Amino acid sequence: MAETNFKLLTCAGILCCLIWNGFAQQGGSDCIKANAKSCGECIQAGPNCGWCKKTDFLQEGEPTSARCDDLAALKSKGCPMEDIENPRGSKQVLENREVTNRKKGAAEKLRPEAITQIQPQKLSLHLRVGEPQTFSLKFKRAEDYPIDLYYLMDLSYSMKDDLENVKSLGTALMLEMEKITSDFRIGFGSFVEKTVMPYISTTPAKLRNPCTGDQNCTSPFSYKNVLSLTSEGNKFNELVGKQHISGNLDSPEGGFDAIMQVAVCGEQIGWRNVTRLLVFSTDAGFHFAGDGKLGGIVLPNDGKCHLENNVYTMSHYYDYPSIAHLVQKLSENNIQTIFAVTEEFQAVYKELKNLIPKSAVGTLSSNSSNVIQLIIDAYNSLSSEVILENTKLPKGVTISYKSFCKNGVNDTQEDGRKCSNISIGDEVRFEINITANECPKKEQNETIKIKPLGFTEEVEINLQFICECQCQSEGEPNSPACHAGNGTFECGACRCNEGRIGRLCECSTDEVNSEDMDAYCRRENSTEICSNNGECICGQCVCKKRENTNEVYSGKYCECDNFNCDRSNGLICGGNGICKCRVCECFPNFTGSACDCSLDTTPCMASNGQICNGRGTCECGTCNCTDPKFQGPTCEMCQTCLGVCAEHKDCVQCRAFEKGEKKETCSQECMHFNMTRVESRDKLPQPGQPDPLSHCKEKDVDDCWFYFTYSVNSNGEANVHVVETPECPSGPDIIPIVAGVVAGIVLIGLALLLIWKLLMIIHDRREFAKFEKEKMNAKWDTQENPIYKSPINNFKNPNYGRKAGL
């Protein structure tokens, strides 16, 4: 058992060493391969890289980059924790107002800017390369949140009947929206098409009245802001009622020009920092970027406001905006779009919706009679979903989201940006990770913003990059430690001035290839420079690196390494020591050239507590038995020896009960142990005591069982505890035995008689049945006697039957 435990411990130790070495190699690989010349370069190599600033840390021949390594590797090489530069990233919340718990109808009416739906509002993150910083963002839909709604309508001739229904939209929509918010404003704008050929007819008559027949239509226009946002529903009805239909030549309309102006002309439209809804109503398709070339317009849309007297004046100058340009401007201005279009164009605008975040599509009836319900349904759909977006990230910075939505729904990747089915008053949480994968070239701070699409609130995040170590700011320029001021002494090493090289900046770049320098890099009586394991720089050997970053050359002439020591079980130094300059330095309790000899005597411990059972010596964790009769891992196996119990049986019997084979010689042969009598087996010593113990059960000359224990204490004294009363088997009870035998014989006889009787009955029945069968099959012989002759003869008259006279 002891041997098995030792093997398990040994295997576990080797496995731990292998795992540790694997991790050290994996972590140290990136750090060492970075070949960092300064502490700043080191900490940018990876989040687990540290820089040892201890002045005498490097061995002879090791380059300055050897100061950069995995933290565990630096500690194992003897660098104290206080000398390891390892700055960590951090986060700081600068503004953290609680989300607003506001109820509709509350006496206190808050200004829109006083309502908070997102928390926190401002953070500062210190980012180290490769180390993510995580923070939580909370969003809660506020009740009774103000809404601005702008109704943008196509006034081409095909929308004539729709205009009649929209004229009373203001007051009706006001009444419906009061169920959602007490602070609602509405505005109105209209669009037709660019005022150039071939979109409209430019003849003077058609410019005055583009409609045919006796229809009275207004002159064509691109976009007109009829009513800026107002809380007066009657004013909406009044101004919209004065509008007239216009006309154009082609089917697609210039709605994108109008959407762009509504998005960027915030002052003219009157947008507040509240929920902004744009209802786009049409029964036709749309022109987009590039279509302007048909009218000779080649300049791309500039995305700026060009309203004069509430009319878009540059439609003939700038092309239609692209969809991507619209998405950008709508997002920048937090506008959520509702496309109210007829059934015919549903498919087109649904595809457009997929390209514009926070937008919805509703089916408009032929005369716009359902527009109010369409707006309410679309608003509920848009407001029930929150989608986070961030501004452009600095180069090398990545961001990831994880959402914690209602009913335990969690998502990552792109779906981690959003939560759906959110009701008013619901609170959701997002976990956001920001990671810097490289430092900016100018080491300047950056600011990014995260906000829910369609909302004006945002989280401002200031990013500060950790690209230098604290010890670099404490460096000494032109330090005497760097060869008379040829470098800056920082973080325990010299950072050489331009034109200087060497660990202490002792050489100029012009002296590097000097043959006189090479003489300092050769061992005595050797022609090899740096033992062929390094380069001679400034008269000093700089040892080369191996592909396995855990294997290192060192020494003044790079003559040492840590991987050419003796091996055991395929491991350098048997995994029980450290290879230094091709010689194993063993861990405690190990010795030998490959540290494969264990000084631990636990595997040699016998079951009696003695090393090798007192019959051998423990060498390298294995028993060498000196008594030829004994063998085995702990010298306890003896093929010709009696066991402890059998060996002392006769002596215990003669001393405790004065009988047995040694009764006559007991006083001479059996006085080598101390004996103690106990009343019962329960009083015998039990396992667990310090001295090795054997429990014995033996038979005496009377075939009685007696019990004793045998142990040897630390002084070599044998102690025997014996139960004073043997257990003798009781004699048999004769009467029950005889009665049982007689009863058994009688029963067996009766059983045999019954069996015989049964067999006879079966036999008789079979014989009778056979007889009956033969009787039924019997037949008597009825043939005539062959010698018998009948006494009767028959004769025939030959004339019998003839006629007379013949």
Side-chain angles (χ1 to χ4, degrees):
M1 180 64 73
E3 181 188 12
T4 303
N5 291 338
F6 173 71
K7 288 181 178 178
L8 289 173
L9 289 171
T10 304
C11 291
I14 293 173
L15 181 62
C16 289
C17 290
L18 289 172
I19 293 173
W20 185 89
N21 287 336
F23 280 126
Q25 180 174 344
Q26 183 179 2
S29 176
D30 292 336
C31 304
I32 294 177
K33 286 181 178 178
N35 200 26
K37 298 296 189 296
S38 66
C39 186
E41 292 180 14
C42 178
I43 63 173
Q44 294 180 44
N48 297 321
C49 298
W51 177 273
C52 183
K53 62 181 181 181
K54 185 180 178 183
T55 306
D56 56 351
F57 171 70
L58 296 178
Q59 300 180 32
E60 279 191 299
E62 283 193 292
T64 302
S65 60
R67 292 181 176 274
C68 181
D69 207 340
D70 179 81
L71 301 179
L74 291 177
K75 288 175 65 178
S76 68
K77 292 178 183 177
C79 186
M81 281 301 297
E82 59 270 17
D83 286 333
I84 297 178
E85 284 286 324
N86 181 36
R88 311 311 301 175
S90 62
K91 64 181 178 183
Q92 182 181 5
V93 179
L94 304 178
E95 190 174 339
N96 194 29
R97 297 189 308 274
E98 291 290 333
V99 292
T100 303
N101 291 314
R102 184 190 185 197
K103 298 294 183 182
K104 189 172 181 294
E108 181 184 4
K109 189 170 183 179
L110 298 177
R111 300 189 314 276
E113 56 270 19
I115 300 174
T116 302
Q117 298 183 108
I118 193 169
Q119 180 186 0
Q121 294 79 40
K122 191 173 184 180
L123 300 96
S124 176
L125 300 182
H126 290 76
L127 298 178
R128 177 175 169 177
V129 172
E131 181 185 22
Q133 291 298 318
T134 304
F135 66 93
S136 290
L137 185 149
K138 183 165 61 176
F139 178 84
K140 182 177 181 180
R141 270 191 66 193
E143 188 172 350
D144 197 25
Y145 195 70
I147 299 174
D148 284 354
L149 184 147
Y150 191 84
Y151 195 93
L152 183 59
M153 185 174 180
D154 177 6
L155 283 188
S156 59
Y157 187 77
S158 59
M159 294 287 286
K160 179 180 179 181
D161 53 346
D162 300 80
L163 180 60
E164 296 302 318
N165 286 314
V166 173
K167 289 179 179 180
S168 60
L169 177 66
T171 53
L173 187 57
M174 280 282 189
L175 291 174
E176 287 296 326
M177 295 302 289
E178 283 180 0
K179 301 175 183 178
I180 300 174
T181 177
S182 59
D183 189 356
F184 175 72
R185 298 198 311 168
I186 189 171
F188 183 83
S190 57
F191 66 92
V192 180
E193 187 55 276
K194 286 186 179 296
T195 55
V196 295
M197 282 288 290
Y199 312 109
I200 66 168
S201 175
T202 56
T203 60
K206 289 294 183 180
L207 287 176
R208 289 191 299 272
N209 183 2
C211 300
T212 59
D214 57 353
Q215 298 291 334
N216 185 22
C217 298
T218 189
S219 299
F221 58 91
S222 176
Y223 162 68
K224 185 187 300 181
N225 176 31
V226 178
L227 175 65
S228 298
L229 291 165
T230 178
S231 57
E232 301 177 19
N234 293 329
K235 190 174 182 180
F236 180 94
N237 294 348
E238 179 185 348
L239 289 177
V240 174
K242 296 178 181 179
Q243 301 304 306
H244 296 283
I245 293 297
S246 185
N248 61 315
L249 295 179
D250 62 341
S251 176
E253 314 294 2
F256 276 15
D257 274 341
I259 293 176
M260 177 61 76
Q261 293 304 301
V262 171
V264 299
C265 298
E267 292 185 7
Q268 290 87 336
I269 303 299
W271 292 117
R272 298 177 295 171
N273 285 330
V274 297
T275 298
R276 299 175 176 180
L277 300 178
L278 170 61
V279 179
F280 181 83
S281 175
T282 184
D283 64 349
F286 49 83
H287 285 295
F288 53 89
D291 288 353
K293 292 180 180 179
L294 295 173
I297 302 172
V298 295
L299 285 178
N301 195 287
D302 64 350
K304 295 181 180 179
C305 181
H306 298 287
L307 290 185
E308 294 183 10
N309 297 321
N310 288 322
V311 176
Y312 180 40
T313 58
M314 302 296 286
S315 67
H316 63 288
Y317 192 75
Y318 290 114
D319 193 6
Y320 301 99
S322 66
I323 295 176
H325 200 181
L326 274 185
V327 170
Q328 177 191 352
K329 293 302 179 180
L330 290 171
S331 177
E332 284 179 1
N333 293 280
N334 307 304
I335 295 173
Q336 304 176 64
T337 309
I338 300 172
F339 294 105
V341 297
T342 55
E343 183 69 34
E344 180 183 357
F345 290 93
Q346 279 288 303
V348 174
Y349 282 90
K350 282 182 178 178
E351 290 297 325
L352 182 61
K353 166 190 171 295
N354 294 332
L355 300 175
I356 301 179
K358 292 294 280 186
S359 62
V361 177
T363 303
L364 190 68
S365 62
S366 58
N367 58 1
S368 296
S369 59
N370 67 331
V371 68
I372 293 179
Q373 189 59 47
L374 185 153
I375 292 172
I376 298 297
D377 292 343
Y379 169 74
N380 290 332
S381 173
L382 290 172
S383 61
S384 66
E385 184 177 56
V386 57
I387 303 175
L388 296 184
E389 68 165 1
N390 51 267
T391 55
K392 184 179 179 182
L393 298 172
K395 182 181 179 182
V397 175
T398 59
I399 189 169
S400 64
Y401 296 84
K402 183 176 181 180
S403 60
F404 298 86
C405 307
K406 287 177 61 178
N407 304 320
V409 177
N410 301 337
D411 273 313
T412 55
Q413 306 298 330
E414 280 303 310
D415 288 337
R417 292 173 173 264
K418 65 181 181 180
C419 282
S420 303
N421 301 319
I422 302 174
S423 303
I424 292 175
D426 286 343
E427 183 175 295
V428 295
R429 186 172 65 87
F430 296 88
E431 192 175 88
I432 302 172
N433 284 331
I434 298 180
T435 307
N437 299 308
E438 61 182 67
C439 277
K441 294 182 179 179
K442 297 181 180 179
E443 298 184 10
Q444 60 187 7
N445 297 340
E446 299 279 357
T447 299
I448 63 172
K449 294 180 180 181
I450 299 175
K451 68 175 183 177
L453 280 174
F455 293 85
T456 57
E457 298 175 66
E458 61 188 12
V459 180
E460 182 179 322
I461 306 170
N462 180 255
L463 305 180
Q464 301 180 34
F465 299 91
I466 303 174
C467 301
E468 298 288 346
C469 300
Q470 179 64 32
C471 60
Q472 289 182 265
S473 62
E474 302 168 357
E476 180 185 358
N478 303 320
S479 172
C482 299
H483 200 267
N486 286 319
T488 301
F489 188 77
E490 62 182 25
C491 303
C494 285
R495 181 163 55 84
C496 299
N497 295 335
E498 188 174 355
R500 304 295 296 185
I501 58 173
R503 183 186 293 183
L504 300 177
C505 310
E506 63 270 30
C507 290
S508 69
T509 52
D510 299 332
E511 300 171 340
V512 173
N513 295 321
S514 171
E515 293 185 3
D516 294 337
M517 294 288 183
D518 292 345
Y520 294 101
C521 298
R522 296 190 187 97
R523 300 177 69 179
E524 189 175 355
N525 299 324
S526 174
T527 59
E528 295 178 343
I529 296 176
C530 298
S531 304
N532 288 334
N533 294 324
E535 294 182 81
C536 185
I537 299 177
C538 293
Q540 289 186 342
C541 284
V542 176
C543 302
K544 64 182 180 182
K545 297 180 180 179
R546 289 177 60 85
E547 186 176 347
N548 183 347
T549 55
N550 284 325
E551 297 178 354
V552 178
Y553 288 111
S554 60
K556 182 177 180 180
Y557 302 104
C558 301
E559 74 278 11
C560 296
D561 62 60
N562 66 347
F563 53 88
N564 275 320
C565 290
D566 290 343
R567 296 172 180 258
S568 178
N569 294 325
L571 299 174
I572 297 175
C573 300
N576 302 316
I578 298 174
C579 182
K580 290 188 177 180
C581 203
R582 304 185 179 182
V583 176
C584 286
E585 290 188 4
C586 301
F587 297 147
N589 286 333
F590 288 94
T591 186
S593 63
C595 300
D596 53 352
C597 181
S598 173
L599 301 178
D600 185 9
T601 58
T602 302
C604 299
M605 195 68 66
S607 58
N608 60 8
Q610 294 180 315
I611 294 177
C612 298
N613 197 27
R615 293 179 171 86
T617 57
C618 186
E619 298 176 1
C620 297
T622 304
C623 281
N624 182 18
C625 302
T626 54
D627 189 333
K629 293 189 299 180
F630 290 86
Q631 55 185 335
T634 55
C635 302
E636 292 182 279
M637 296 174 59
C638 180
Q639 303 295 338
T640 60
C641 300
L642 295 173
V644 172
C645 296
E647 182 181 353
H648 299 93
K649 165 188 172 182
D650 293 333
C651 283
V652 173
Q653 188 179 183
C654 77
R655 289 188 60 181
F657 309 111
E658 298 180 357
K659 54 184 177 181
E661 295 179 2
K662 295 186 178 182
K663 178 180 178 182
E664 303 299 332
T665 59
C666 192
S667 58
Q668 291 82 24
E669 299 181 16
C670 300
M671 302 306 292
H672 59 279
F673 58 82
N674 301 321
M675 190 181 71
T676 304
R677 289 182 174 84
V678 297
E679 295 178 357
S680 64
R681 292 167 61 184
D682 297 337
K683 300 293 180 65
L684 289 173
Q686 300 301 317
Q689 66 178 26
D691 300 331
L693 181 69
S694 297
H695 276 261
C696 301
K697 176 185 178 183
E698 298 291 339
K699 272 190 176 182
D700 62 13
V701 293
D702 299 324
D703 283 339
C704 295
W705 293 102
F706 66 97
Y707 299 88
F708 67 95
T709 61
Y710 183 88
S711 63
V712 180
N713 61 23
S714 58
N715 297 325
E717 297 177 349
N719 295 299
V720 173
H721 291 73
V722 61
V723 179
E724 59 186 8
T725 305
E727 292 182 359
C728 297
S730 57
D733 194 349
I734 301 299
I735 295 175
I737 294 175
V738 173
V741 171
V742 172
I745 293 172
V746 172
L747 290 173
I748 291 172
L750 290 173
L752 291 174
L753 286 173
L754 289 172
I755 293 170
W756 176 81
K757 181 64 176 174
L758 180 61
L759 292 174
M760 292 304 295
I761 291 172
I762 294 171
H763 180 267
D764 290 345
R765 289 184 177 179
R766 285 181 177 176
E767 290 295 326
F768 181 76
K770 183 178 179 182
F771 170 75
E772 289 291 331
K773 185 177 180 181
E774 290 177 349
K775 182 181 176 182
M776 294 292 294
N777 294 332
K779 294 182 180 179
W780 300 105
D781 194 356
T782 58
Q783 293 182 355
E784 292 183 356
N785 191 344
I787 63 173
Y788 171 77
K789 289 185 177 181
S790 174
I792 301 172
N793 291 318
N794 292 323
F795 295 97
K796 185 174 181 182
N797 187 353
N799 293 319
Y800 177 76
R802 288 186 178 182
K803 292 183 180 181
L806 292 178

